[in-house]
Amino acid sequence: MIVLKQVSKTYDTGQAAVCDVSLQVPTGKLLVLLGGSGSGKTTTLKMINRLVEPTSGRIEVDGRDVLSVDRVQLRRGIGYVLQGCGLFPHMSVADNIAVVPRLLNWSAERIEKRIDELLHLVHLPPAEFRSRMPRQLSGGQQQRVGFARALAAGPKVMLLDEPFGALDPLTRDELRNEFLQIRRQLGLTAVMVTHDMTEALLSADLIAVMNAGRLLRLGTPHDLLRHPGDDFVAALLSSPKRQADQLETLFAGRPNGGLS
């Protein structure tokens, strides 16, 4: 479980990026942090693994205050995936996946076995992809390797910062579905950042809507669709609803999504 208790972040300039956010992510569930640019969602995500230090409040991962854990050890136990995957360009696919296991002093045999397991898991045949360099991969393949690297040490918690944002729509949808299947298969507790309402609704067990550093609404996709509870949340929801209505009208044979 991940718990945030009255967490805030204020920078030296006096700018408040996150204000008094409290929420819980139950074990094995996916929370999506949703909001526009500057809403505080990425800062909130990065405070969980201490890439950003909170100014006040308490963050717990599996019952431990993250500030009581060495930050390097903390990050090695939490998978982290970012937009564009962040692979080391001078390292092969296998070497990218092996980074954390080597830091943990795993045996060479164990590392090699783990690389093959993970490449199979993300649908990249090891014989074909082990020795490839990142520049030899498509965007979707690079992101698959990014997922494999994040899973290399067997974390139970994963953080994802707009992991599908740089991909074309078809690849984005395919990879999102694959990730959700892997997450359920491994029982991962996850927090994902997105600004895409449709992606949030189709992915999340829980959605936390943020604006100007504050948590406006926390609930299941069904809860938010039925009871937005806030004008900003209602505005976010209006776009996928409107698009769904327009598509339904098109399927019924009316032109221009029913706008004409």
Side-chain angles (χ1 to χ4, degrees):
M1 179 183 288
I2 300 170
V3 179
L4 278 66
K5 300 178 180 178
Q6 296 180 308
V7 174
S8 296
K9 175 62 182 179
T10 302
Y11 290 101
D12 293 339
T13 59
Q15 177 189 4
V18 175
C19 304
D20 201 29
V21 169
S22 296
L23 55 83
Q24 292 186 7
V25 189
T27 301
K29 299 299 184 180
L30 170 61
L31 170 77
V32 170
L33 294 170
L34 176 70
S37 298
S39 63
K41 57 189 188 298
T42 294
T43 300
T44 300
L45 182 84
K46 289 182 176 180
M47 285 192 287
I48 296 171
N49 68 351
R50 295 182 61 189
L51 285 172
V52 172
E53 296 282 358
T55 304
S56 61
R58 180 182 175 92
I59 301 173
E60 297 176 2
V61 176
D62 289 335
R64 295 190 303 172
D65 184 345
V66 297
L67 294 180
S68 71
V69 183
D70 176 81
R71 71 183 69 187
V72 175
Q73 291 300 116
L74 177 72
R75 291 171 195 161
R76 288 178 183 175
I78 297 176
Y80 187 68
V81 181
L82 63 157
Q83 184 177 7
C85 71
L87 299 180
F88 297 112
H90 61 290
M91 299 171 81
S92 69
V93 165
D95 285 338
N96 265 283
I97 296 171
V99 167
V100 173
R102 285 175 180 156
L103 290 172
L104 295 174
N105 295 315
W106 287 18
S107 69
E109 181 181 359
R110 184 183 179 190
I111 291 172
E112 294 305 305
K113 181 180 178 181
R114 184 62 172 162
I115 290 168
D116 286 349
E117 288 174 350
L118 289 168
L119 286 174
H120 282 301
L121 185 67
V122 298
H123 307 294
L124 296 175
E128 183 178 352
F129 287 94
R130 260 180 156 272
S131 60
R132 289 195 187 183
M133 303 300 287
R135 65 178 178 273
Q136 297 173 307
L137 305 176
S138 68
Q141 289 167 346
Q142 288 182 20
Q143 200 67 328
R144 285 183 169 87
V145 177
F147 283 128
R149 183 176 65 181
L151 293 168
K156 290 299 182 183
V157 172
M158 180 170 284
L159 307 178
L160 306 101
D161 190 1
E162 305 243 22
F164 313 115
L167 303 173
D168 66 85
L170 186 61
T171 303
R172 178 175 184 152
D173 187 59
E174 178 183 17
L175 200 56
R176 179 180 59 81
N177 287 327
E178 288 181 12
F179 163 71
L180 294 176
Q181 181 180 0
I182 289 170
R183 191 197 68 77
R184 287 190 292 267
Q185 178 182 336
L186 299 179
L188 296 171
T189 304
V191 180
M192 183 174 80
V193 164
T194 186
H195 62 270
D196 186 319
M197 189 71 199
T198 301
E199 183 170 85
L201 290 168
L202 294 177
S203 302
D205 296 304
L206 292 168
I207 297 174
V209 182
M210 298 186 67
N211 188 38
R214 298 190 178 276
L215 177 62
L216 299 183
R217 187 79 164 81
L218 176 66
T220 67
H222 179 75
D223 291 339
L224 267 63
L225 284 168
R226 291 289 301 274
H227 307 290
D230 180 272
D231 289 344
F232 180 81
V233 178
L236 284 179
L237 286 165
S238 67
S239 178
K241 284 182 176 179
R242 183 173 61 253
Q243 291 169 355
D245 289 343
Q246 291 173 4
L247 285 171
E248 186 175 344
T249 303
L250 280 172
F251 280 124
R254 294 172 58 188
N256 299 321
L259 298 179
S260 64

